[in-house]
């Protein structure tokens, strides 16, 4: 969709509201190269923005009302308008909860008023590529842009997290919105969640004859209902028992009850894998990150237990067909995997994965090669 995505949102806005929008803002989805379930443990993550984005065309309103519409495949879905003063968690259902949650948080911060918002996007939904955060971040930038406020990106990230945690009810960390806000073209973002320290690390897999293949299993996950919250609480308990602020500080699993050991083991080893990956990328030893991706998958599958059979089949089939490494990404229980693939083997890997899915009786996966794209901003 890209540059035309902005036009799609703006054209629908004109048709619905009879005038051009005051502006169009957009934000990307993301792939996390490595560092999964580490963000809410104060650890390290390494995401990049994908070219798929969500656009929000917007104009201000004076009556404290937010109107919302979303364009999908040429169809416009118009939602019930929401009144800012009446917004409370639980008052908005379905997709409206994401933009309404952002408006709710901004209002508490004393910024952002009523607005007409028209959304268009091509981030696959519920695919673990963070369409929800791309929608929330684009909405936040639109409402802030209309009000003339210019807060720091870290404030915006925190507000978006509040919207998703307290309004939508998904207990997610800081990875997704920070990635959507702060990633840049041709780089992965090395983020230390505890300190907020960021480093843009050049990432040009193509120069090394490699591609990052995204494999969307099309098994939709739900972070609200999945075991995500349970894992989070397990990590907090483990940190308590160990007497550390978070699992970021844990040196090992000693002293933990059996059921918490694997959770801690995953977080400790995953943080190490992120640091190792950054080191290898800086030394341009790209092929060597393959085994780290595979180790991450094994850890998420066996220790953290957030994989599912489709993600396991995707990772295994990709490796069998020649991928240097593969792993599930995102919260788990569905969504997408990534595979690091020599360019000349891309087709073979795609075929291998598709055949493995067919053999298991799964629906066809959606696959595309992802190159780091630009973060969120104003388009028009
Ligand atoms: P993910 O973030 O991995 O895609 P989530 O379940 O967190 O999965 O978020 C997906 C939800 O975000 C969708 O079900 C929908 O409610 C909302 N959403 C994302 N993009 C759009 C869009 N362009 N228009 C309307 N709703 C959207
Ligand atoms: Mg999401």
């Amino acid at each position: 969709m890209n540059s035309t995505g902005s036009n799609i949102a703006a054209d629908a806005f004109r048709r619905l509201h009879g005038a051009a929008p005051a502006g169009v803002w957009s934000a990307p989805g993301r792939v996390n190269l490595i560092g999964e379930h580490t963000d809410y443990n104060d650890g390290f993550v390494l995401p990049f923005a994908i070219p798929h984005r969500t656009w929000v065309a917007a104009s201000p309103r004076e009556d404290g009302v937010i109107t919302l519409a979303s364009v999908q495949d040429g169809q416009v879905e118009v939602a019930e308008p929401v009144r800012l003063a009446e917004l409370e968690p639980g008052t908005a259902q379905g997709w409206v909860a994401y933009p309404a949650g952002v408006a709710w948080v901004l209002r508490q911060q004393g910024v952002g008023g009523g607005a007409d918002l028209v959304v268009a996007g091509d981030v696959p939904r519920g695919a673990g590529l963070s369409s929800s955060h791309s929608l929330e971040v684009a909405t936040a930038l639109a409402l802030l842009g209309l009000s003339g406020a210019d807060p720091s990106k870290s404030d915006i990230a925190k507000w978006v997290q509040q919207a998703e945690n307290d309004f939508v009810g998904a207990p997610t960390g800081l990875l997704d919105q920070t990635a959507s806000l702060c990633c840049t073209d041709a780089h992965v973002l090395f983020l230390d969640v505890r300190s907020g320290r960021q480093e843009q690390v050049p990432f040009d897999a193509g120069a090394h004859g490699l591609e990052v293949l995204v494999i969307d299993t099309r098994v939709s996950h739900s972070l609200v209902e999945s075991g995500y919250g349970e894992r989070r609480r397990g990590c907090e308990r483990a940190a308590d028992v160990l007497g550390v602020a978070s699992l970021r500080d844990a040196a090992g699993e000693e002293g933990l009850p059996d059921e918490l050991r694997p959770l801690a083991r995953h977080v400790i080893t995953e943080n190490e894998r992120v640091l190792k990956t950054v080191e290898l990328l800086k030394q341009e030893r790209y092929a060597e990150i393959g085994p780290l991706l595979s180790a991450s998958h094994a850890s998420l599958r066996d220790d953290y237990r957030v994989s599912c059979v489709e993600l396991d089949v995707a990772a295994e089939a990709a490796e069998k067909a020649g991928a240097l490494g593969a792993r599930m990404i995102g919260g788990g229980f569905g969504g997408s995997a990534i595979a690091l693939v020599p360019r000349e083997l891309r087709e073979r890997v795609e075929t291998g994965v598709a055949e493995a899915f067919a053999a298991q009786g799964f629906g066809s996966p959606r696959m595309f090669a992802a190159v780091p794209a630009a973060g969120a901003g104003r388009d028009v």
Side-chain angles (χ1 to χ4, degrees):
M1 216 190 263
N2 279 332
S3 64
T4 56
S6 170
N7 296 337
I8 289 170
D11 288 348
F13 190 101
R14 256 182 235 105
R15 282 197 305 278
L16 280 169
H17 299 293
V24 181
W25 289 260
S26 70
R30 61 95 192 93
V31 152
N32 191 21
L33 189 59
I34 196 159
E36 217 63 77
H37 289 277
T38 48
D39 65 337
Y40 55 82
N41 286 299
D42 272 352
F44 305 114
V45 294
L46 198 62
F48 66 86
I50 56 174
H52 305 72
R53 300 177 81 83
T54 302
W55 289 263
V56 174
S59 284
R61 289 174 68 100
E62 301 304 325
D63 58 359
V65 167
I66 302 249
T67 73
L68 283 157
S70 174
V71 195
Q72 173 89 10
D73 301 326
Q75 302 279 84
V76 182
E77 189 191 332
V78 179
E80 261 322 289
V82 295
R83 202 162 271 291
L84 273 173
E86 289 165 13
L87 279 179
E88 286 296 338
T91 53
Q93 312 306 324
W95 72 272
V96 172
Y98 297 94
V102 171
W104 173 72
V105 172
L106 291 182
R107 185 158 186 273
Q108 289 172 346
Q109 298 300 326
V111 280
D116 292 317
L117 305 177
V118 177
V119 177
D122 61 1
V123 185
R125 299 187 197 179
L129 301 170
S130 214
S131 71
S132 64
H133 282 101
S134 72
L135 172 56
E136 289 163 322
V137 169
T139 303
L141 292 192
L143 293 176
L144 290 166
L146 293 179
S147 72
D150 189 20
S152 69
K153 285 182 182 176
S154 70
D155 277 342
I156 301 173
K158 271 182 223 138
W159 295 338
V160 167
Q161 184 183 24
Q162 278 168 31
E164 179 127 347
N165 290 174
D166 301 339
F167 197 93
V168 177
T172 47
L174 267 170
L175 160 65
D176 297 336
Q177 57 285 67
T178 307
S180 188
L181 277 161
C182 301
C183 281
T184 56
D185 212 14
H187 293 81
V188 283
L189 174 68
F190 176 34
L191 171 67
D192 177 343
V193 176
R194 167 168 284 164
S195 67
R197 184 181 165 272
Q198 299 189 2
E199 185 182 348
Q200 303 285 347
V201 180
F203 184 68
D204 186 358
H208 297 262
L210 297 170
E211 290 183 344
V212 176
L213 183 68
V214 176
I215 305 163
D216 171 9
T217 63
R218 300 205 191 219
V219 179
S220 174
H221 67 124
S222 163
L223 294 185
V224 181
E225 289 146 29
S226 71
Y228 189 95
E230 196 191 307
R231 298 299 183 286
R232 268 195 89 140
R233 288 189 293 278
C235 289
E236 281 161 20
R237 274 210 320 279
D240 267 356
V241 174
L242 292 170
V244 292
S246 69
L247 284 182
R248 155 76 175 271
D249 305 307
E253 320 144 26
E254 249 117 282
L256 285 176
D258 284 352
E259 76 274 12
L260 296 179
R261 280 171 176 259
L263 293 186
R265 191 157 60 231
H266 167 72
V267 175
I268 294 166
T269 58
E270 186 76 353
N271 277 324
E272 288 166 2
R273 282 186 288 271
V274 177
L275 298 179
K276 185 81 194 149
T277 301
V278 170
E279 213 178 286
L280 288 172
L281 289 180
K282 287 182 177 171
Q283 295 167 3
E284 308 228 6
R285 291 158 63 190
Y286 277 54
E288 289 172 59
I289 70 173
L292 294 169
L293 301 183
S294 301
S296 170
H297 185 80
S299 179
L300 288 158
R301 181 191 61 210
D302 302 334
D303 280 342
Y304 218 69
R305 287 173 293 112
V306 289
S307 191
C308 63
V309 61
E310 291 85 354
L311 287 167
D312 293 343
V313 167
E316 269 163 42
E319 284 174 5
K320 209 167 143 212
L324 303 178
R327 70 177 206 90
M328 56 154 283
I329 60 165
F333 309 106
S336 298
I338 54 169
L340 185 67
V341 180
R343 191 186 297 122
E344 67 279 8
L345 296 183
R346 152 99 173 273
E347 230 166 88
R348 200 168 97 187
V349 170
E350 288 194 3
T351 308
V353 172
E355 284 178 359
F357 268 54
Q360 297 277 344
F362 304 157
S364 302
R366 168 173 34 207
M367 291 179 265
F368 62 91
V371 176
R378 183 170 188 160
D379 291 54
V380 179

